[in-house]
Amino acid sequence: MRRKSSLVLLALAVLFAALSPLVRWYAFPRLAKIPANQYQDMVLEAKDATLLDYGTMKAKKVPKVTIVQTLKGNVEASEKIEKTAGKDVVVWDGLSYVQGPDGKMVSRIPERYIFDAHTQEPVHATGEMVDGDPVRREGIEFKWPFLTEKRDYEYFDAQARITAPIHYKGTQDFRGVEVYYFEQTIPWTKVPFPKAMPVAGITPESVAETGTTRWYTTVRKFWVEPLTGAPVYGEEIHKEELRGGTLLGDREKVTAFAGHVKMREDYIAYTVDLVKSNRMLVLLMTSYLPWGFLALGVLLLSLSLYLEARARRPADPAPTDATEPEPVTA
């Protein structure tokens, strides 16, 4: 009976020992993915910013500029692309909506971002665009890969339509969460005018006829939770200028927008809580279950060997019955 029990325990030990690497290296890369129907929004603010008044074509200080960013998963488009891509694909239809302190639109830039649901690498397909212009992304955007590494990444800048390195700057603590801090600088670059302009009658084409151009620079900062690859906080030191042309009269340039853009406090708290809960799921697949299965396998193996050793131990000799001496007859 002991031998049968030891064999059962040995089989379970082998099973759990095998499950340990399978969960970490086989199951996790296949199960960890961005859902195709995900929706998220975020509000950022630039307080005491500088904003161009297109009526007077003069820059003025304003108490606040608000940026609303939304990302909506397009399930129908992702399923269509998956048929030819041969992989799990996510299609995010994004919108960056900027409004002034009076609530009026400053700019409205739609975007379609197509990427691998597991690795976050771009997937090039019809429909990939920024503000209606076809683009071919290289590098990541919005989200880092699961199990983010302490290294530089290539990050796509939607304003300039270019990819540039975003540098790992160190590990920090952000509201109780260990994060990797990344920073990217885009130098002054000539960029297109948004197709939706803030003043009726002004179009990118009409501005181009005046010879005026739009330039942009930013310092982009992200604090990324490394297990999930999700940013818990972000900032931008953002500047835009209009340069040259008859639209500015005798001026060489004028500030179109300048401000230190930060996530609004309520969205910071929500994002941190969400990332903490998702972090536990990743820890379960990459640490808790693999190490737990391995420890359980070792424990079962030890118990199996113990029972086997007990089963093989020689039995004690049977005790001899004491007999009464027979009487001696003459």
Side-chain angles (χ1 to χ4, degrees):
M1 187 65 183
R2 287 178 181 172
R3 195 158 200 181
K4 289 182 179 179
S5 299
S6 68
L7 290 175
V8 171
L9 291 174
L10 179 60
L12 290 174
V14 172
L15 173 63
F16 283 110
L19 281 175
S20 176
L22 282 175
V23 169
R24 173 62 183 84
W25 303 109
Y26 181 82
F28 173 72
R30 288 161 177 78
L31 295 176
K33 67 177 185 178
I34 305 299
N37 62 347
Q38 183 172 350
Y39 175 84
Q40 62 187 74
D41 60 357
M42 184 178 301
V43 177
L44 305 98
E45 296 176 334
K47 297 182 178 179
D48 299 322
T50 301
L51 192 63
L52 178 64
D53 183 340
Y54 277 87
T56 62
M57 291 305 296
K58 293 182 178 179
K60 62 179 182 180
K61 283 285 186 180
V62 296
K64 182 174 66 177
V65 172
T66 303
I67 303 169
V68 181
Q69 291 183 340
T70 59
L71 294 171
K72 182 180 180 181
N74 189 322
V75 177
E76 183 180 355
S78 65
E79 290 176 346
K80 183 178 180 180
I81 296 171
E82 284 175 352
K83 293 178 180 179
T84 56
K87 61 179 72 175
D88 292 327
V89 173
V90 174
V91 177
W92 273 349
D93 288 331
L95 180 65
S96 181
Y97 187 90
V98 183
Q99 63 184 35
D102 55 2
K104 294 183 179 179
M105 183 195 71
V106 174
S107 68
R108 179 184 182 276
I109 300 179
E111 185 174 357
R112 172 165 283 190
Y113 178 35
I114 308 170
F115 61 96
D116 187 300
H118 301 278
T119 67
Q120 283 71 74
E121 289 292 324
V123 174
H124 304 301
T126 303
E128 186 181 10
M129 64 87 180
V130 174
D131 203 14
D133 298 329
V135 296
R136 184 179 175 86
R137 285 178 180 80
E138 300 297 336
I140 58 176
E141 188 180 4
F142 300 116
K143 185 187 177 299
W144 272 248
F146 293 102
L147 306 182
T148 300
E149 300 176 15
K150 296 179 180 181
R151 64 175 178 86
D152 297 348
Y153 286 84
E154 294 296 303
Y155 192 92
F156 180 78
D157 183 281
Q159 286 273 3
R161 277 66 152 178
I162 61 173
T163 298
I166 188 163
H167 302 286
Y168 168 74
K169 295 288 188 178
T171 302
Q172 299 179 10
D173 180 276
F174 185 84
R175 303 195 181 188
V177 179
E178 183 182 273
V179 295
Y180 294 169
Y181 171 58
F182 291 90
E183 187 174 300
Q184 180 190 50
T185 299
I186 302 295
W188 282 108
T189 305
K190 182 181 175 182
V191 296
F193 281 90
K195 288 183 170 56
M197 298 292 286
V199 178
I202 297 181
T203 65
E205 293 76 18
S206 64
V207 175
E209 291 176 359
T210 69
T212 300
T213 55
R214 177 172 173 252
W215 293 74
Y216 149 88
T217 183
T218 195
V219 177
R220 180 174 286 116
K221 304 176 181 182
F222 283 110
W223 286 258
V224 178
E225 197 288 308
L227 291 177
T228 61
V232 297
Y233 181 62
E235 294 183 1
E236 280 197 36
I237 303 174
H238 188 108
K239 297 178 182 178
E240 296 178 23
E241 290 181 354
L242 303 186
R243 297 183 181 180
T246 58
L247 189 64
L248 305 184
D250 58 354
R251 293 172 295 173
E252 292 184 0
K253 61 184 179 180
V254 63
T255 298
F257 170 61
H260 193 161
V261 181
K262 301 180 181 181
M263 284 176 62
R264 204 170 71 185
E265 179 60 36
D266 54 339
Y267 280 85
I268 298 174
Y270 170 78
T271 303
V272 169
D273 290 341
L274 179 63
V275 169
K276 282 182 177 179
S277 64
N278 290 336
R279 182 177 183 273
M280 291 303 298
L281 295 176
V282 177
L283 273 174
L284 186 69
M285 296 292 292
T286 60
S287 181
Y288 296 160
L289 283 180
W291 284 110
F293 285 155
L294 184 60
L296 183 57
V298 171
L299 178 63
L300 291 172
L301 177 61
S302 301
L303 187 56
S304 172
L305 294 175
Y306 171 74
L307 292 178
E308 181 68 15
R310 289 286 302 271
R312 289 176 178 270
R313 181 183 301 170
D316 295 331
T320 58
D321 294 333
T323 59
E324 294 291 334
E326 296 182 2
V328 179
T329 58

